[in-house]
Amino acid sequence: MPKEYLDLKMDFMFKQLFGHPSRKRITIAFLNGLLNRAGRDRIVDVQYENTELPKETEDGKMSRLDVLVFTDRSERINVEIQVVHQHDMPERVLYYWARLFSSSLSKGQEYSELPPTIMITILNYSLFPHETDRFHTVFHLREDKEHFLWSPHLEFHAIDLSQFIPF
């Protein structure tokens, strides 16, 4: 009899495994592995945050995230899974990042208190098929000529599962 496995590419199943406090250790191990964190650099704890981003204006767009955590290192990490090809995914990731980043500052707080915000997008397709054949790409905002960082607070990861898992 063939074994059946839970399909983690479904939002509901993905959220059940990685987005539930009772499975915090799995989420931490997943993030440490994906972000290449080890030793003193590793994430040791996460707090789950509300995944619903309210509208900023009455006619604004509402957003619902898959898994959102705040780490012991004061980072906000959003993990999204997207099986259906979204041709506007780079803009969507940037929009979600901007909403998360800007909503993390309260009245009276200094800009230096903004937490690093990391977006991880797990896809069933290559996000940049003409630029790279790597399955895991990482993006930061850098100066064009000398390549120094604008800020370490912006980090995007795109994971293309279609290269090694048939959907």
Side-chain angles (χ1 to χ4, degrees):
M1 175 182 252
K3 291 183 179 178
E4 291 188 36
Y5 297 95
L6 299 175
D7 189 353
L8 294 177
K9 296 180 306 295
M10 295 174 49
D11 278 355
F12 176 77
M13 295 311 301
F14 186 83
K15 289 177 188 180
Q16 288 301 307
L17 181 62
F18 295 109
H20 197 276
S22 67
R23 294 174 197 63
K24 185 187 285 195
R25 290 186 337 183
I26 294 171
T27 304
I28 292 169
F30 171 74
L31 292 174
N32 280 325
L34 189 66
L35 300 174
N36 201 25
R37 303 277 179 88
R40 296 186 127 167
D41 193 38
R42 77 187 198 298
I43 298 166
V44 295
D45 194 20
V46 296
Q47 300 299 314
Y48 291 87
E49 295 190 48
N50 183 4
T51 59
E52 203 166 282
L53 300 176
K55 298 178 186 181
E56 291 180 328
T57 62
E58 188 175 317
D59 61 343
K61 186 166 183 65
M62 172 141 130
S63 304
R64 184 170 289 120
L65 310 174
D66 288 344
V67 176
L68 177 59
V69 297
F70 196 76
T71 72
D72 60 300
R73 300 165 44 100
S74 299
E75 301 159 311
R76 274 185 150 177
I77 301 176
N78 175 44
V79 184
E80 294 288 316
I81 187 149
Q82 185 66 49
V83 175
V84 178
H85 193 306
Q86 300 288 321
H87 298 282
D88 59 355
M89 188 53 79
E91 292 78 18
R92 182 176 173 178
V93 170
L94 187 58
Y95 177 78
Y96 282 3
W97 177 87
R99 294 280 316 273
L100 274 175
F101 190 65
S102 65
S103 70
S104 60
L105 197 62
S106 299
K107 184 178 179 179
Q109 284 185 291
E110 299 292 325
Y111 291 111
S112 61
E113 297 178 64
L114 283 162
T117 302
I118 300 169
M119 305 296 287
I120 299 170
T121 308
I122 302 169
L123 305 162
N124 178 31
Y125 55 91
S126 176
L127 192 57
F128 300 102
H130 304 294
E131 290 84 1
T132 184
D133 59 357
R134 291 184 17 247
F135 78 92
H136 181 191
T137 51
V138 182
F139 298 87
H140 295 91
L141 186 59
R142 296 188 181 277
E143 197 281 330
D144 285 349
K145 302 284 184 204
E146 297 179 42
H147 309 288
F148 58 87
L149 279 178
W150 177 280
S151 169
H153 285 46
L154 180 143
E155 185 173 324
F156 298 155
H157 292 254
I159 313 294
D160 175 12
L161 295 181
S162 70
Q163 291 192 31
F164 52 92
I165 297 177
F167 284 82

